[in-house]
Amino acid sequence: FSNHGSTSVDVMAPGEDIYSTKVGNTYGQMSGTSMAAGFVSGAAGLLRARSPKDSRTRIKEILLTTVDVIASTDGKILTKGQINIFNALAALPLAGDVNKDYNQTLEDSLLGLKTFSGRPSDTISQDVLHWDGNNDHQLGLPETIHVLQQRSR
């Protein structure tokens, strides 16, 4: 029941002994490419839900570049591996990663505050640095709330 081809199959997913619905309003284990398809489409949907502005092409790229490589698939599958949703989610920018450099830093916090408040970032940065009590150059929830409260007065 397996499909393979380094130019026709991009990635593999679990497809053997998958518990699923069956004809006659029953459940049971089934195997085949139809069972694997749900894992791949579900992974793509999860990535899209987590990062809705990313294109379909970007979501596919993430899925294909974050696989678990399996040596025995060399020459049989384009990516030589099986999807890994943990790796794929980790490849997405952090929720607060405004500049999309995969790090959540003071720069992201300032960009976010500037966007949210409509105020110049240089005046916000002075407030943030002043209230960065642990000197980690990151803006946490307490600092954010404080700065926004001060700016709204």
Side-chain angles (χ1 to χ4, degrees):
F1 60 81
S2 179
N3 286 339
H4 59 85
S6 61
T7 60
S8 59
V9 177
D10 291 338
V11 67
M12 69 182 224
E16 191 170 342
D17 296 326
I18 305 299
Y19 195 69
S20 185
T21 56
K22 295 182 85 170
V23 176
N25 201 25
T26 62
Y27 297 89
Q29 290 184 327
M30 296 174 25
S31 298
T33 55
S34 294
M35 297 293 99
F39 283 98
V40 178
S41 60
L46 182 60
L47 291 176
R48 184 64 179 229
R50 175 68 173 75
S51 191
K53 292 184 179 180
D54 276 334
S55 67
R56 290 185 303 269
T57 303
R58 176 71 179 130
I59 297 296
K60 180 180 178 181
E61 175 188 331
I62 291 169
L63 283 173
L64 298 183
T65 58
T66 57
V67 298
D68 287 332
V69 174
I70 300 171
S72 63
T73 64
D74 192 10
K76 298 178 182 177
I77 297 171
L78 175 69
T79 61
K80 303 176 185 84
Q82 178 173 292
I83 61 168
N84 181 320
I85 192 61
F86 180 82
N87 289 346
L89 286 169
L92 293 175
L94 299 169
D97 186 15
V98 178
N99 65 1
K100 306 247 184 255
D101 67 354
Y102 300 93
N103 292 300
Q104 192 168 3
T105 62
L106 179 60
E107 180 184 354
D108 295 302
S109 300
L110 294 175
L111 286 169
L113 278 173
K114 181 180 178 188
T115 302
F116 180 75
S117 70
R119 298 187 185 273
S121 59
D122 58 338
T123 60
I124 292 172
S125 65
Q126 293 304 312
D127 290 344
V128 171
L129 292 174
H130 177 73
W131 289 101
D132 186 18
N134 59 2
N135 203 28
D136 65 356
H137 298 285
Q138 294 189 27
L139 182 63
L141 185 58
E143 290 94 351
T144 304
I145 291 170
H146 180 80
V147 169
L148 289 175
Q149 285 174 338
Q150 294 301 311
R151 284 289 174 198
S152 65
R153 292 182 183 173

